[in-house]
Amino acid sequence: MPFKKPKKEELSELKKRVVPFVSILEKSLSQKVNEADTRTIINDLLAEIFGYNKYFDITAEFMIKNSYADYVIIINDKKHMVIEAKPITTKLNNNHVKQAVDYAAHEGIKWAILTNAIDWKVYRVTLGNKIEYDLFFEFSLNDLSEREITDMYFLTKNSIEKEMLEDYWKYRQALNPPTLLQILLSDDIINRMRKELRTKSGYNVTSDEVMELLITQIIRPEFVRKSIERNEVNETNEEFVLPDFDKLTPMVKDAISYMIKVNSPVSSKEIKSHLLSLGHDFNSLSPVIGSLNSKFSNHFIKGKDSKYYFSDEAYNELSKCFKK
């Protein structure tokens, strides 16, 4: 099903609604209005730009666990967003959003917004055993790009009622670079490339050769590193699914075997030395690390000391494979 984007007319109308407020925001900033006056402006922005009914959709000072959220957007008895407001002179930072995120998590709300009336930061809150949040997008009302106007549209009442913000999140997640990288380096894609290369050239190439070419010549190596480094955590809530062990290349299997035997975090230099001692011929360790990251996702972890290890769940399951 294709992602439904806002119409050009809707974006044009949204942009027009912003214009009258630009001078108000700039004057308020220059006069350093306080938090109470900033909230008055935010009330008007939510009504005049984003389309919420200020009497029925916007609940101010919403009580949550013995404290009060600045705003909660409630439509048809469903709580959609928590908004934390700061004075217009405040430079927003990550510390400010924690309160809104905690409020959202407590109420089972997936969206938390931090704003000082000019700058808006939109966070996606992941609800589970551990509260996590990601900055989805941000914009400034006094300096909007075309992309930001599109992002901004998904905060409007029309969008929220149609659950377009949720769809937008899923759409952007499907197209984010780590997801595409994992697909590109999957067994199925690598095998298809091998077949195409054999058809076109008449030569057989190995999976390792294709992987190394992709990582070192086609995909930027620094991006592969960043994709791997996103796993710098000590635990994961993601369920572990053991990949088809027979489809792993001998070099990857030997790397796993070494990590299982050592049973402690190992550096890339240590993995490389072990593979060379076994007679593997390769120019770069990137294909091996890339394959492990692709096959095991958040269960193949790079710690802050730049050493690699498997989650406990992955380690236990992989150990069984080498005992067979």
Side-chain angles (χ1 to χ4, degrees), residues 89-127:
T89 54
T90 300
K91 186 175 182 180
L92 304 179
N93 59 53
N94 291 336
N95 293 329
H96 294 144
V97 77
K98 187 177 185 303
Q99 191 173 15
V101 168
D102 287 344
Y103 286 148
H106 187 272
E107 291 294 309
I109 301 172
K110 295 180 179 179
W111 297 100
I113 298 174
L114 177 64
T115 183
N116 58 9
I118 294 177
D119 300 320
W120 295 69
K121 293 177 177 288
V122 180
Y123 294 85
R124 166 73 174 201
V125 181
T126 301
L127 309 175

Side-chain angles (χ1 to χ4, degrees), residues 228-236 240 255-256 258-268 270-271 289 292-293 296-316 318:
I228 295 170
E229 287 167 0
R230 79 185 190 278
N231 295 323
E232 288 188 355
V233 294
N234 292 323
E235 59 180 337
T236 176
F240 176 68
I256 296 172
Y258 173 67
M259 294 179 67
I260 295 300
K261 182 178 180 180
V262 173
N263 192 19
S264 64
V266 294
S267 66
S268 58
E270 291 171 318
I271 297 174
I289 299 298
L292 289 168
N293 184 58
F296 298 97
S297 188
N298 288 335
H299 290 271
F300 177 66
I301 303 165
K302 183 178 182 181
K304 293 182 178 179
D305 56 359
S306 295
K307 290 189 175 184
Y308 299 96
Y309 60 97
F310 290 109
S311 69
D312 290 342
E313 187 178 1
Y315 178 86
N316 292 334
L318 289 168

Side-chain angles (χ1 to χ4, degrees), residues 185-187 190-191 194 207-208 211 240-257 280 287-288 290-296 310 318 321-322:
L185 298 181
S186 67
D187 285 336
I190 294 296
N191 287 332
R194 289 180 59 206
S207 297
D208 291 336
M211 183 84 75
F240 176 68
V241 178
L242 184 69
D244 190 338
F245 203 72
D246 292 333
K247 290 185 178 180
L248 298 177
T249 66
M251 188 157 60
V252 170
K253 287 182 181 178
D254 285 339
I256 296 172
S257 173
H280 289 289
V288 176
S291 181
L292 289 168
N293 184 58
S294 173
K295 302 295 186 300
F296 298 97
F310 290 109
L318 289 168
C321 294
F322 287 99

